[in-house]
Amino acid sequence: MGDHRITVLPGDGTGREVALEAQRILDTIQANTNHGFDQTVIPCGGQHYISTGEEWAPGSFEFCRDETDAIFLGAIGQPGARLPNGDLAGGSVILGLRSGLDLYANVRPIKLYEGVPHKIHGGFRQIWEPGMVDMTILRENTEGLYHALLRRSADRAQGRPEYEPEPMTFPGLEGEVAYDPRPISRAGSQRLIEMGFDVAATRNGAPSDGQRRVSCIDKSNVTRGCQLFRKTFESIAEKHPNTEADYGYIDAFMQWLTRSPEHYDVVVTSNMFGDISTDLGAVLQGGMGMAASGNIGDQHAFFEPVHGSAPKHAGLNKVNPIASINSIQMMMDYLGRKNGEDELIEIARLIDDSVADHLREGKLVTYDIGGSASCSDVGTAIADRLAHKLSERF
Ligand code: IPM
Ligand code: MN
């Protein structure tokens, strides 16, 4: 019996392969420390829907809510797997958990490790020094453009009638019209932005100047929701005089993120803007195979690689497991801070050191960052490094 209850949702495509590497890291921690994990694996996702007619077994949402300390999710998304209402099959899992567990912050660190080529120009030419890309983007995760879909998914996950927004009319538009309301609330913005300032306090500032900085990225020159988001940001920033408050519109941010990533320390933004900008951010850190994330609320959290199911690579044991390994790193840091267990925070740091050492040496890496090693070989090699560090320390 372990002392932390971890639910693993492998999901679709390559999610199933990287989930095994995430579990290998949990097993390694368990074998080399006093921290144990009760792991429960729940089959789910679009492929599961196609073969069984359900996104996951009844009671799975409740298990994640009531009998789980932290969740690892591989990936959701199977081409062609759609529910009768047209929504993504597997949405109950990824979107249902985000909304149903009130995981309001999607925390996405973007860091370029030494030895890893970024993907600008699609090539392997090094433009940024590794230390120049080290930021965390916090994407609002429960409202904005995703709001209706999130609510529907959470309702479905809990067996409730599915939410539909009130019909709206649009003067001047005729014929068939599809639309997604984009509600942004002060309370929803506030809790995300406050977490942004909290995250900044745990970091070392922006690479360019060491200044603690939180950047509010919006489109407040155009949308009312963004105006409220920015107003909320200003009132929170006032309470943090030692952290620089920085502002940008999403369109300009796309330029600056690419041109001067070293300026950014912590970024807070709304749901869809965060979805889009973190894929660009992944390019700066060596691609989607390097991008880890945590979906975090006050009571619950799940951790997932950002890359998705990558169906064309599925079953080939070739994708990069580092996004998943670093998602377990985030999970350990989360559990450590939540429960006041400093050892788990230290374990998170040792995972980071193991990944950094492995990449610096650069001998065994997957195709996406210039090698030809398999997913499981990279996962095993990093787990071995971690085992060594843990056994020295614990
Ligand atoms: C992500 C993904 C999801 C999203 C999809 C799979 C629904 O792109 O986690 O970024 O749009 O949020
Ligand atoms: Mn995305």
Side-chain angles (χ1 to χ4, degrees):
M1 282 288 282
D3 48 6
H4 296 285
R5 300 165 303 171
I6 308 297
T7 297
V8 178
L9 304 168
D12 293 315
T14 57
R16 298 178 178 190
E17 293 155 49
V18 295
L20 296 175
E21 302 314 315
Q23 290 189 275
R24 199 192 300 279
I25 296 297
L26 293 173
D27 293 341
T28 302
I29 298 166
Q30 174 154 311
N32 292 282
T33 69
N34 294 325
H35 299 274
F37 305 101
D38 279 335
Q39 300 180 40
T40 304
V41 179
I42 300 182
C44 60
Q47 281 172 277
H48 188 75
Y49 179 76
I50 288 172
S51 55
T52 65
E54 48 190 30
E55 298 172 276
W56 51 0
S60 299
F61 174 86
E62 290 73 15
F63 187 87
C64 290
R65 183 188 61 199
D66 303 332
E67 290 171 68
T68 302
D69 297 314
I71 301 163
F72 175 85
L73 171 63
I76 295 295
Q78 173 67 13
R82 293 268 151 198
L83 301 172
N85 71 357
D87 286 352
L88 171 83
S92 286
V93 183
I94 184 166
L95 300 164
L97 288 171
R98 284 178 184 170
S99 177
L101 298 182
D102 214 13
L103 310 178
Y104 56 84
N106 196 325
V107 180
R108 298 186 161 180
I110 297 168
K111 170 165 129 176
L112 181 61
Y113 285 89
E114 205 181 321
V116 176
H118 63 71
K119 296 259 187 188
I120 293 181
H121 301 250
F124 287 70
R125 211 171 106 231
Q126 199 74 38
I127 302 174
W128 307 122
E129 297 298 319
M132 288 170 75
V133 179
D134 187 349
M135 74 190 83
T136 295
I137 297 184
L138 279 81
R139 159 189 179 189
E140 202 293 321
N141 215 28
T142 56
E143 48 186 55
L145 256 184
Y146 282 71
H147 176 259
L149 173 61
L150 284 163
R151 295 297 294 209
R152 278 203 296 281
S153 306
D155 287 337
R156 201 168 62 247
Q158 294 169 85
R160 297 191 300 237
E162 293 181 26
Y163 166 76
E164 275 297 334
E166 289 296 319
M168 292 173 71
T169 53
F170 300 91
L173 302 195
E174 283 167 22
E176 195 176 347
V177 177
Y179 55 90
D180 305 271
R182 180 177 179 255
I184 291 189
S185 72
R186 179 183 283 277
S189 305
Q190 184 171 332
R191 59 189 187 170
L192 175 86
I193 294 162
E194 277 169 354
M195 191 189 287
F197 280 91
D198 290 349
V199 170
T202 67
R203 294 172 42 88
N204 302 317
S208 60
D209 53 6
Q211 171 66 47
R212 289 214 162 111
R213 175 175 297 122
V214 181
S215 303
C216 174
I217 300 300
D218 58 47
K219 191 73 182 170
S220 55
N221 50 343
V222 173
T223 74
R224 290 183 175 164
C226 283
Q227 284 157 13
L228 178 57
F229 188 83
R230 185 174 285 215
K231 206 163 70 179
T232 308
F233 179 90
E234 284 165 344
S235 66
I236 297 166
E238 270 174 16
K239 297 183 203 137
H240 296 87
N242 298 326
T243 301
E244 188 181 302
D246 181 49
Y247 298 89
Y249 297 138
I250 182 68
D251 48 351
F253 177 56
M254 295 295 84
Q255 280 192 67
W256 292 116
L257 181 60
T258 322
R259 288 169 60 172
S260 314
E262 67 276 17
H263 173 74
Y264 295 101
D265 176 16
V266 171
V267 173
V268 291
T269 192
S270 55
N271 202 340
M272 184 62 94
F273 292 164
D275 179 48
I276 297 167
S277 59
T278 52
D279 274 26
L280 173 53
V283 171
L284 304 173
Q285 65 179 151
M288 299 297 280
M290 296 296 300
S293 76
N295 295 254
I296 300 177
D298 291 332
Q299 309 298 330
H300 305 277
F302 80 78
F303 299 84
E304 55 169 342
V306 184
H307 52 64
S309 59
K312 75 173 180 205
H313 300 312
L316 303 175
N317 189 25
K318 68 179 278 201
V319 298
N320 193 340
I322 293 178
S324 290
I325 293 171
N326 277 346
S327 298
I328 296 293
Q329 177 192 149
M330 294 180 76
M331 181 193 282
M332 292 303 118
D333 189 73
Y334 162 82
L335 288 171
R337 288 178 199 279
K338 187 169 185 212
N339 304 327
E341 289 187 73
D342 291 346
E343 275 186 15
L344 289 176
I345 300 176
E346 202 180 334
I347 289 169
R349 252 183 253 124
L350 293 177
I351 298 174
D352 192 52
D353 289 350
S354 306
V355 170
D357 289 356
H358 187 80
L359 291 168
R360 196 178 301 112
E361 197 181 279
K363 289 195 185 127
L364 197 69
V365 295
T366 44
Y367 77 97
D368 54 317
I369 51 173
S372 58
S374 71
C375 177
S376 53
D377 282 351
V378 173
T380 304
I382 294 174
D384 288 348
R385 286 178 190 270
L386 177 63
H388 184 74
K389 287 185 195 291
L390 291 170
S391 62
E392 273 183 342
R393 166 63 185 80
F394 293 98

